């Protein structure tokens, strides 16, 4: 009887320890699942932020290209006019120097 009682006590102790281990394993799985869900959420947010950044960068690049094209067009329009005005002024000065009047 004493041996049976000791055996029953050991079984009860092992069962209790097994239940605690099962509880700890369940808690570990719950925490792991929560961390995985947070990671997926975070990754999804980072991917969305990266996509917004790429879109913003593409828009900024397109805006700069358009501004650059406008500046080039403006320069192309201004340069010949400025050059022509400079040449007219120089020609007028030279005509005065040589005594020609227009």
């Amino acid at each position: 009887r004493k041996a049976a009682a000791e055996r029953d006590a050991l079984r009860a102790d092992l069962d209790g320890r097994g239940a605690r281990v099962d509880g700890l394993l369940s808690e570990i799985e719950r925490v792991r699942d929560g961390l995985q869900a947070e990671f997926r959420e975070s990754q999804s947010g980072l991917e969305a932020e990266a996509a917004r950044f790429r879109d913003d960068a593409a828009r900024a690049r397109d805006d700069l290209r358009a501004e650059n094209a406008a500046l080039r067009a403006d320069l192309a329009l201004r340069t010949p006019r400025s050059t022509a005005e400079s040449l007219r002024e120089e020609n007028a000065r030279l005509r005065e120097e040589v005594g020609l009047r227009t």
Side-chain angles (χ1 to χ4, degrees):
R1 287 185 184 177
K2 188 176 179 181
E6 286 179 15
R7 187 180 63 230
D8 289 343
L10 285 173
R11 275 194 185 140
D13 183 48
L14 286 175
D15 287 345
R17 288 181 186 198
R20 283 192 299 275
V21 167
D22 288 344
L24 289 172
L25 287 174
S26 292
E27 179 67 12
I28 288 169
E29 289 173 357
R30 186 187 67 74
V31 169
R32 182 201 64 207
D33 292 346
L35 289 173
Q36 285 177 337
E38 283 181 40
F39 176 76
R40 283 189 298 273
E41 231 176 83
S42 175
Q43 186 176 18
S44 176
L46 288 173
E47 289 170 355
E49 189 174 338
R52 282 191 301 274
F53 178 77
R54 282 190 301 272
D55 291 346
D56 290 348
R59 269 192 298 282
R61 183 194 63 227
D62 292 345
D63 290 349
L64 287 171
R65 284 182 176 162
E67 183 180 354
N68 193 4
L71 289 171
R72 285 181 189 210
D74 187 49
L75 181 61
L77 290 174
R78 288 175 185 261
T79 300
R81 189 177 310 134
S82 298
T83 302
E85 289 173 15
S86 295
L87 289 173
R88 281 190 208 101
E89 291 171 6
E90 184 177 351
N91 285 347
R93 187 181 53 77
L94 290 172
R95 283 190 183 105
E96 284 183 22
E97 284 181 18
V98 295
L100 296 175
R101 298 281 175 201
T102 56

